[in-house]
Amino acid sequence: MPGTLYLIPNTLGPTEAAPHALSHILPEQVQDIASKLDYFVAENAKTARAFLKLVAIDHPLALPLQDIRIAELNVNTPPQALAALLAPLLEGRDAGLVSEAGVPAVADPGADLVRLAHQHGVPVRPLVGPSSLLLSVMASGLNGQSFAFNGYLPTDAAQRTKRIQQLEQRSRSEKQTQLLIETPYRNGAMLEALVATCQPGTLVCVATDLSLPTETVRTQTAAKWKAQLAAGKAPDFHKKPTVFLFLAQ
């Protein structure tokens, strides 16, 4: 019998390393399952170890941290390496898939391992935890009945403008909320591009540091954002994980 691949959510940012702090973000069941596993696949082993240290505050690990195997799966992992990552599960060993932040396999290279697990009949069990995408949709006040996640936009200014125009047209015709993310140090440029390109009445939401003490969520028209930026009142989101959403009116 193959083992089970558990999809284990991570926090969305630094969490206070104090007893019971993690339970505000991750259910006890998630922490309990993570504490019993001895094999993990993660984007970054260092980040995964930090996560397990946090889990261990309230849930002692089954093995010393140094004895837990953490294999890496990221954008640099060649497709042919996936078989070796899955091999322990085919031998009956349970494993945890952990992302850098939030839920694994969503905007995350872990999706490739999940697909391979299905191909080989390995049970996949997703666990409940914070997703910046769903949290931002919930808090935005925009259309939660129809929305699309578009990942990163082109870094080239002209191509980015063209893509925003395409997405705004889709948003208007389908009444669909559009979600974007950006490398945190380029948040300012992303918001400037949105308000410069979108129609004045398009609603734009900026959701930053979701689930963290510094969380902020603000939805207003592109015109209001543009006036705010012109007045030198940019959101406090430099180098902070942010989700951008917009809905054309």
Side-chain angles (χ1 to χ4, degrees):
M1 289 286 293
T4 297
L5 179 60
Y6 291 94
L7 309 187
I8 299 177
N10 200 342
T11 64
L12 294 177
T15 302
E16 183 183 3
H20 312 299
L22 196 59
S23 62
H24 294 294
I25 301 172
L26 292 180
E28 290 289 325
Q29 181 199 33
V30 174
Q31 299 178 60
D32 187 56
I33 290 174
S35 70
K36 291 178 170 58
L37 298 174
D38 61 5
Y39 174 49
F40 289 85
V41 178
E43 280 190 84
N44 182 284
K46 182 178 179 180
T47 303
R49 288 190 186 95
F51 170 72
L52 290 175
K53 285 181 181 178
L54 196 57
V55 167
I57 292 175
D58 280 341
H59 296 262
L61 302 178
L63 292 174
L65 186 55
Q66 62 268 24
D67 294 335
I68 295 175
R69 179 186 171 191
I70 302 177
E72 291 192 348
L73 170 58
N74 50 51
V75 294
N76 297 315
T77 302
Q80 58 269 28
L82 290 173
L85 298 177
L86 190 69
L89 288 114
L90 296 177
E91 296 169 358
R93 191 174 182 181
D94 291 339
L97 178 64
V98 184
S99 181
E100 281 287 271
V103 295
V106 177
D108 174 75
D112 294 334
L113 183 63
V114 174
R115 185 185 307 115
L116 189 64
H118 284 298
Q119 292 173 1
H120 287 81
V122 172
V124 175
R125 184 176 173 189
L127 301 180
V128 174
S131 163
S132 61
L133 303 179
L134 286 180
L135 289 172
S136 66
V137 171
M138 291 165 59
S140 69
L142 305 183
N143 189 1
Q145 186 75 10
S146 176
F147 55 91
F149 173 55
N150 300 283
Y152 295 90
L153 298 193
T155 55
D156 177 78
Q159 292 181 10
R160 182 175 55 205
T161 296
K162 182 179 179 180
R163 183 62 174 147
I164 292 172
Q165 290 171 337
Q166 292 172 341
L167 294 176
E168 188 180 30
Q169 182 178 5
R170 180 201 296 175
S171 178
R172 181 175 295 106
S173 63
E174 300 183 18
K175 296 180 174 56
Q176 184 181 71
T177 301
Q178 304 298 318
L179 283 72
L180 317 166
I181 55 175
E182 182 53 277
T183 304
Y185 70 84
R186 288 203 291 260
N187 283 338
M190 183 75 255
L191 182 57
E192 289 174 2
L194 282 173
V195 302
T197 306
C198 290
Q199 294 297 309
T202 292
L203 292 172
V204 177
C205 177
V206 177
T208 299
D209 277 352
L210 291 162
S211 80
L212 304 178
T214 51
E215 172 185 284
T216 60
V217 182
R218 177 73 173 172
T219 298
Q220 57 189 13
T221 64
K224 288 185 178 180
W225 277 117
K226 192 171 185 178
Q228 186 174 322
L229 294 180
K233 298 179 180 179
D236 179 20
F237 62 0
H238 184 57
K239 293 187 177 180
K240 295 181 179 181
T242 298
V243 181
F244 299 89
L245 308 88
F246 65 87
L247 178 65
Q249 300 297 289

